[in-house]
Amino acid sequence: MTLAHVDEALEKGVRLEAICERLGVAPRTIQRWRKPATAEDRRCGPHTRPANRLSEVERRRILAV
C-alpha cells in the first residue's frame, strides 16, 4: 500500500527525497521494497566468529539462570 502511495506521488511530480523525508525512510529503502522477490540477496555477513563470543560452558550457565 505504501509503494502505491509513493508511486502516486511520483506521478504527480513529487521528488523521491521529499516523499522519503515525509515517510521517515531513506530512498534506498524504497529501492529495496521494489526489488523483486526473486532477486538474489547479496548481503555478506561475517565469516568469522566474534572474539568475545561466549564459550559453550558460559552459554549453558547463562541459560540455566
Side-chain angles (χ1 to χ4, degrees), residues 38-61:
T38 57
E40 179 185 348
D41 183 3
R42 298 184 315 195
R43 290 178 288 185
C44 295
H47 297 285
T48 59
R49 293 183 175 186
N52 62 346
R53 182 174 184 219
L54 295 174
S55 69
E56 189 58 35
V57 173
E58 292 169 322
R59 182 180 172 279
R60 276 192 241 132
R61 231 182 259 155

Side-chain angles (χ1 to χ4, degrees), residues 11-59:
E11 287 174 8
K12 292 181 180 181
V14 181
R15 292 185 0 226
L16 181 60
E17 290 79 15
I19 297 168
C20 292
E21 184 178 325
R22 183 74 156 191
L23 292 175
V25 298
R28 179 68 181 112
T29 301
I30 301 294
Q31 292 173 348
R32 281 192 299 271
W33 288 349
R34 286 193 173 139
K35 184 175 72 169
T38 57
E40 179 185 348
D41 183 3
R42 298 184 315 195
R43 290 178 288 185
C44 295
H47 297 285
T48 59
R49 293 183 175 186
N52 62 346
R53 182 174 184 219
L54 295 174
S55 69
E56 189 58 35
V57 173
E58 292 169 322
R59 182 180 172 279

